[in-house]
Amino acid sequence: MSELAAAQRHLRRADPVLAQIIDRCGNCTLQPDRRYFASLVEAILSQQLSVKAAATIHARFQNLLRGRVASAGILQLTDAQIRAAGISRQKMGYLRDLSTKWQDGLLHGRRLARLADEEVIAALTQVKGIGRWTAEMFLIFSLGRLDVLPVDDLGFRNAVKKAYRLRKLPEAGRLRQIAEKWRPYRSVATWYLWQSLENKPR
């Protein structure tokens, strides 16, 4: 049995609310995206933007880099080139900080993949513009970690409120309490709850 199938089986038995969502949504399709650096760049570019605006700016930035999103290429771009793609001065600083740390070997995809979850979060949040939420999304969607609980994610909180018929948005402590029975597959449970809102998690 695959790990995702095992996760679905565990969650179905552990939580009747999730069992109904799993029946409705079908099999979990979470697959790690191994483009580690490019995923972090995309996360920075999409901050505080609509999906459409983020996609436009990301496409322009990829064109600047001739389709190859790499730290060396970013560090060779001028301020004017980056700003022409519609990227703010603040995000330009974030991208350069990420690229410098990647180039210097302070961050590295394969090394990150060997670290424990909290160590990955500690490493990534050293980069300007990357907070805990972005690091948690990286754990789930890039490293494929199956037991991450993003308690600050608004979509997740809304989904839990709706699915468990809570009167108000749950705070971190309540979310952890509800999620205790999902271990060691809290990422998969979170994915299903995102799906229950009929939103794409990314």
Side-chain angles (χ1 to χ4, degrees):
M1 184 187 297
S2 74
E3 203 158 11
L4 287 178
Q8 287 170 215
R9 188 175 174 185
H10 169 79
L11 295 170
R12 192 188 291 278
R13 284 195 292 203
D15 189 331
V17 172
L18 270 181
Q20 291 183 342
I21 293 172
I22 291 168
D23 286 341
R24 199 162 69 241
C25 294
N27 290 333
C28 178
T29 57
L30 264 177
Q31 289 295 330
D33 180 351
R34 306 292 187 196
R35 302 171 307 119
Y36 299 133
F37 180 78
S39 295
L40 291 169
V41 168
E42 191 171 346
I44 288 172
L45 290 176
S46 63
Q47 287 172 4
Q48 300 173 317
L49 292 176
S50 69
V51 172
K52 186 177 179 182
T56 299
I57 287 174
H58 188 243
R60 284 186 200 145
F61 196 56
Q62 280 191 308
N63 286 340
L64 262 184
L65 296 165
R66 295 186 172 87
R68 187 168 183 272
V69 181
S71 54
I74 290 173
L75 291 172
Q76 287 169 4
L77 295 174
T78 66
D79 288 8
Q81 285 176 307
I82 296 173
R83 296 284 284 140
I87 295 166
S88 70
R89 193 167 295 281
Q90 186 178 47
K91 285 186 183 178
M92 180 166 62
Y94 296 164
L95 292 169
R96 288 208 170 118
D97 189 47
L98 170 64
S99 299
T100 299
K101 286 182 168 67
W102 206 272
Q103 278 284 96
D104 292 347
L106 297 175
L107 293 175
H108 189 281
R110 285 193 293 275
R111 192 175 304 141
L112 287 170
R114 291 195 295 267
L115 297 177
D117 291 355
E118 287 298 326
E119 291 174 324
V120 172
I121 291 169
L124 289 179
T125 52
Q126 292 176 45
V127 177
K128 292 173 187 171
I130 293 183
R132 186 178 180 90
W133 179 85
T134 300
E136 288 172 340
M137 295 303 106
F138 183 82
L139 282 168
I140 295 171
F141 292 107
S142 293
L143 295 181
R145 301 293 172 84
L146 297 181
D147 197 33
V148 178
L149 188 72
V151 295
D152 298 318
D153 185 86
L154 186 58
F156 173 57
R157 293 173 69 203
N158 275 316
V160 171
K161 177 179 181 282
K162 182 180 175 184
Y164 293 85
R165 299 182 179 182
L166 306 178
R167 281 179 298 177
K168 59 181 183 178
L169 276 181
E171 299 297 334
R174 182 79 173 104
L175 289 168
R176 291 190 186 100
Q177 185 183 42
I178 291 169
E180 191 58 34
K181 58 181 169 288
W182 303 342
R183 290 178 182 273
Y185 299 115
R186 291 179 297 173
S187 301
V188 181
T190 299
W191 183 88
Y192 273 112
L193 282 153
W194 276 322
Q195 297 301 310
S196 75
L197 291 178
E198 299 180 343
N199 290 334
K200 295 209 179 279
R202 284 193 88 188

